[in-house]
Amino acid sequence: MQGGTDRWKFRPASAKVSSPTHEMPQVTGARPEPDRSRLMPALAAAAVLLVLVTAGLVYGLTRPASPPPAGLQQPPTSSSILDSQAPTAAPTPSAAATPTASPTPVTQSQAPPKPSAVPPLTVVNRKAPGCSEGDSRVVWATVKAGKACAAGGTTVSKTVGWDQEYQQSYAQLRMSIKNQQLPGSYTVSFTIGGLSGPETVNNRGGCGGLAVHTSSNGATYDYFNVCADGWVETLRVVNNVSGDNQQRQITPGPVEGISPTYSVVVNVNPSAMQVTVSNRVGQSVTITSQAAGPSTAYLALITTWRNIGATARFSDFTFSAG
């Protein structure tokens, strides 16, 4: 056949005829099958590792806590103590629960207010001392004395004789202040008259005055007296023993009633007593004496003449602290 001869006649001599049964034709380009075969084992290993890690995490989170090992334990920290003591939240009541009434708050009784401190009594003014006293803080007491009240003043009379108790046989009208100590420094003023003996010979016409710096038992005091004849005297007594004694003479003023009257001012401090006596015609005398003691338990208006029945009348009495 000439067509077939012509096909073979023009084939180049160097060309080789490949046999379809012994040799595969050469193919150029990418070969994906060998690359996929290398990636598959790596991907499978990664998937297995991911499954193992996930299973481990789940087991660790769901595993019950094991008890701590025996032996010394660390003390709980302050934060753990506070956390353990923190109150748990109260459960929320359901809608069907019946609400309960809140307890009535207990009313605390308030303590009664403390009474305010009572200011000290610093001034006492009395026309007739010891008579019709209206202030319960001012206490008057008679000692070995009678007391007669009148519009013109208070008359203090003797009920014992001089020989019964030396230097303590005076008739006394004592003044003290309830629940209060008399101050260390004060002034007492008054008018004294109505002086009587009652004897008519050598009695100076009767005498009266004031005792200060008194002890509570009455054994220590300073006193002064003035007599109807103008005799002024001070005396210090310590434990019933007389000490310093001073005298002055003043002209008796005009007689008012049965005797002359005198105006008296006594200034007292813890170390001294100063007495000024004035008559009704402008004359005065002053005596200063050392104190028998620094304090005063009570004041005493006194009738000092020695006979039973001797009198002295006191009026326009004023006590002033300071």
Side-chain angles (χ1 to χ4, degrees):
M1 295 175 59
Q2 186 174 357
T5 303
D6 292 339
R7 248 192 338 259
W8 287 104
K9 181 172 69 175
F10 291 101
R11 184 181 306 269
S14 60
K16 294 183 181 178
V17 178
S18 59
S19 174
T21 57
H22 297 285
E23 202 174 42
M24 294 294 294
Q26 187 174 3
V27 181
T28 62
R31 300 177 64 185
E33 289 80 8
D35 293 339
R36 185 180 296 113
S37 64
R38 286 194 299 268
L39 291 175
M40 288 303 292
L43 292 175
V48 171
L49 181 60
L50 179 61
V51 170
L52 292 176
V53 171
T54 304
L57 291 174
V58 171
Y59 177 76
L61 293 174
T62 58
R63 183 184 61 179
S66 59
L72 294 177
Q73 301 296 319
Q74 290 292 333
T77 62
S78 60
S79 61
S80 64
I81 293 175
L82 292 176
D83 293 341
S84 64
Q85 294 177 353
T88 58
T92 303
S94 62
T98 303
T100 57
S102 60
T104 303
V106 179
T107 303
Q108 296 182 352
S109 59
Q110 297 181 352
K114 294 182 180 180
S116 59
V118 177
L121 186 62
T122 58
V123 176
V124 177
N125 291 312
R126 300 293 181 267
K127 177 65 178 179
C131 298
S132 302
E133 181 57 59
D135 191 335
S136 61
R137 296 173 297 175
V138 182
V139 180
W140 299 95
T142 55
V143 178
K144 302 175 183 177
K147 180 181 71 174
C149 298
T154 304
T155 298
V156 179
S157 58
K158 286 196 66 179
T159 59
V160 297
W162 182 260
D163 57 347
Q164 293 188 9
E165 291 181 56
Y166 178 70
Q167 298 293 354
Q168 289 197 10
S169 60
Y170 311 122
Q172 303 178 49
L173 175 60
R174 295 180 178 179
M175 189 204 83
S176 59
I177 302 175
K178 186 182 298 183
N179 300 324
Q180 179 183 325
Q181 177 70 37
L182 290 172
S185 299
Y186 54 90
T187 299
V188 179
S189 62
F190 54 89
T191 298
I192 186 170
L195 301 168
S196 68
E199 64 186 35
T200 59
V201 178
N202 194 27
N203 68 354
R204 294 194 175 275
C207 307
L210 178 73
V212 300
H213 291 137
T214 53
S215 60
S216 58
N217 64 0
T220 297
Y221 51 91
D222 293 309
Y223 89 90
F224 101 95
N225 64 198
V226 58
C227 301
D229 63 356
W231 176 264
V232 180
E233 180 183 34
T234 62
L235 180 66
R236 182 170 68 243
V237 178
V238 178
N239 292 326
N240 290 324
V241 177
S242 60
D244 179 57
N245 175 253
Q246 299 183 58
Q247 301 89 28
R248 301 285 190 276
Q249 181 67 49
I250 190 172
T251 302
V255 174
E256 297 179 8
I258 62 174
S259 73
T261 60
Y262 302 92
S263 297
V264 177
V265 177
V266 182
N267 294 306
V268 180
N269 61 54
S271 60
M273 173 184 72
Q274 184 184 70
V275 178
T276 299
V277 179
S278 303
N279 61 17
R280 294 296 183 179
V281 294
Q283 183 184 4
S284 64
V285 294
T286 298
I287 302 176
T288 301
S289 63
Q290 191 176 12
S295 60
T296 299
Y298 56 86
L299 300 176
L301 299 169
I302 55 177
T303 299
T304 57
W305 190 245
R306 59 176 174 254
N307 296 331
I308 294 175
T311 62
R313 184 183 68 245
F314 302 90
S315 61
D316 302 318
F317 174 90
T318 298
F319 160 81
S320 179

